Amino acid sequence: MEGLNHTRVTHFVFLGLTSNHRLELALFAVFCVMYLLILAGNLLIMVTVASDRCLHTPMYFFLGNLSFIDICHSSVTAPKMLLDFLSFQKTISFNGCMAQLFFLHLCACAEIFLLTIMAYDRYIAICHPLQYMSLMSLKVCTWLVGALWVGAMVHSLVQTVLTIQLPYCGPNVLDSFFCDVLPVIKLACTDTYLTRVLIVSNSGMISLVCFLALLVSYIVILVSLRGQTAEGRRKALSTCAAHLLVVALFLGPCIFIYTRPAGSFSADKVVAVFYTVVTPVLNPVIYTLRNAQMKNSMKKLRDQKIFFIGT
């Protein structure tokens, strides 16, 4: 027992989404298509925003950054998940697990902060239109994006340090398909109550505070719309509805995972799939189908034969 107590875990084993190999093959096909759609859809938005000068505005600058984060976020977990669907032994090294955990929280926190900044951008555009270009200049937008990455880096470092400093000397089976803080610290061979409180407080508070900030921003926006024309209200509501849908799809699962009491729920894996794979697929669809300017810019690119071969 003394030897066991001093043996450090060198790798973790994932249980994955299912133990049925035939179902895994079917899931591989589904998620492979979804991951390719994530790459294609978000790259298309990034190139469209960069290519069309009409889209060189704060809103589309942030949208391009959101697409970049979605690609990074899904790429932290999806490639490993796809590989494991084809493998009977689903393992990851200890260092690989910590790296995945770090980049997962880096991208997730960056996305939460960016969604909050995008809500602030819409608030300024709708409630203070005459001051919009001065308050949301390119310099300000660049500083905001830089600040969100710094904040996300600090958050991710805190989560990773709190996780990596624990002793892991026994069980190494994770009931998940990727490394996240809460499943990993369950395997530590020490009392993790205080660590769990710190981790949940960190992630849960970020998700909850940003969500409340978003909620307040849109309440103020809705109140201010009463004095605008019907056409102005329609345009504002269309843009805000798309953003609110993205917020709900991403922040909802995060709040569910990090603000509820500790425990084991079978729904956790479904929720995890939703915000790591499903949401990044839906974001390009939500923003393009409800945005006439983005659709027109994509048509211009199509006519220029940048993405499509046509006559």
Side-chain angles (χ1 to χ4, degrees):
M1 288 296 292
E2 287 185 12
L4 180 61
N5 288 337
H6 291 86
T7 301
R8 185 172 178 82
V9 169
T10 59
H11 68 278
F12 294 101
V13 178
F14 294 132
L15 292 183
L17 291 175
T18 178
S19 58
N20 186 319
H21 190 58
R22 288 186 177 180
L23 181 56
E24 283 186 323
L25 294 178
L27 289 174
F28 171 81
V30 172
F31 285 112
C32 187
V33 171
M34 292 179 71
Y35 183 56
L36 292 175
L37 288 174
I38 290 171
L39 297 179
N42 285 290
L43 279 172
L44 177 59
I45 287 178
M46 290 169 63
V47 174
T48 302
V49 171
S51 301
D52 193 338
R53 294 185 63 85
C54 294
L55 300 182
H56 290 182
T57 62
M59 185 178 78
Y60 293 105
F61 173 74
F62 293 134
L63 180 56
N65 277 274
L66 178 63
S67 292
F68 173 73
I69 293 174
D70 276 340
I71 290 174
C72 295
H73 190 200
S74 60
S75 296
V76 173
T77 57
K80 174 61 177 169
M81 177 179 66
L82 291 172
L83 182 63
D84 285 343
F85 280 141
L86 304 178
S87 306
F88 288 99
Q89 190 71 10
K90 304 170 177 59
T91 62
I92 187 171
S93 68
F94 182 87
N95 290 336
C97 183
M98 293 302 112
Q100 188 180 58
L101 184 152
F102 172 81
F103 286 109
L104 177 74
H105 279 266
L106 175 67
C107 295
C109 188
E111 182 152 351
I112 290 172
F113 287 155
L114 181 58
L115 290 172
T116 307
I117 290 171
M118 291 173 75
Y120 172 72
D121 171 68
R122 290 301 84 204
Y123 162 75
I124 296 296
I126 294 169
C127 299
H128 304 282
L130 298 179
Q131 300 163 296
Y132 180 65
M133 293 312 297
S134 60
L135 292 175
M136 298 301 293
S137 64
L138 178 60
K139 183 178 180 180
V140 171
C141 293
T142 304
W143 274 103
L144 286 172
V145 170
L148 78 84
W149 280 109
V150 171
M153 180 76 72
V154 171
H155 161 77
S156 188
L157 281 172
V158 170
Q159 299 290 86
T160 306
V161 169
L162 287 173
T163 304
I164 205 170
Q165 53 86 29
L166 295 172
Y168 299 92
C169 51
N172 67 339
V173 178
L174 288 167
D175 188 13
S176 182
F177 61 94
F178 65 95
C179 288
D180 198 2
V181 176
L182 295 181
V184 170
I185 66 172
K186 287 181 181 179
L187 304 181
C189 47
T190 187
D191 181 23
T192 61
Y193 176 77
L194 180 58
T195 303
R196 184 184 296 274
V197 169
L198 291 173
I199 286 171
V200 171
S201 299
N202 189 314
S203 295
M205 285 303 294
I206 287 175
S207 299
L208 200 54
V209 168
C210 288
F211 177 75
L212 291 175
L214 286 158
L215 194 61
V216 170
S217 296
Y218 280 108
I219 289 174
V220 173
I221 288 172
L222 289 174
V223 171
S224 69
L225 287 177
R226 291 183 302 177
Q228 295 196 14
T229 63
E231 180 65 16
R233 285 198 299 269
R234 187 191 65 78
K235 288 183 178 179
L237 287 173
S238 178
T239 303
C240 293
H243 187 243
L244 279 173
L245 184 55
V246 170
V247 168
L249 290 173
F250 187 79
L251 268 180
C254 291
I255 292 173
F256 172 81
I257 290 175
Y258 288 104
T259 60
R260 59 178 171 73
S264 178
F265 296 92
S266 59
D268 280 9
K269 291 182 183 180
V270 177
V271 173
V273 167
F274 204 83
Y275 82 88
T276 57
V277 180
V278 176
T279 302
V281 171
L282 295 177
N283 283 356
V285 176
I286 293 168
Y287 278 111
T288 55
L289 289 182
R290 297 185 61 89
N291 191 309
Q293 192 171 2
M294 179 64 75
K295 287 190 287 187
N296 290 334
S297 295
M298 288 182 175
K299 287 177 182 177
K300 290 180 185 177
L301 291 179
R302 182 193 61 191
D303 294 339
Q304 294 169 11
K305 303 180 182 179
I306 291 180
F307 291 108
F308 305 95
I309 297 175
T311 56

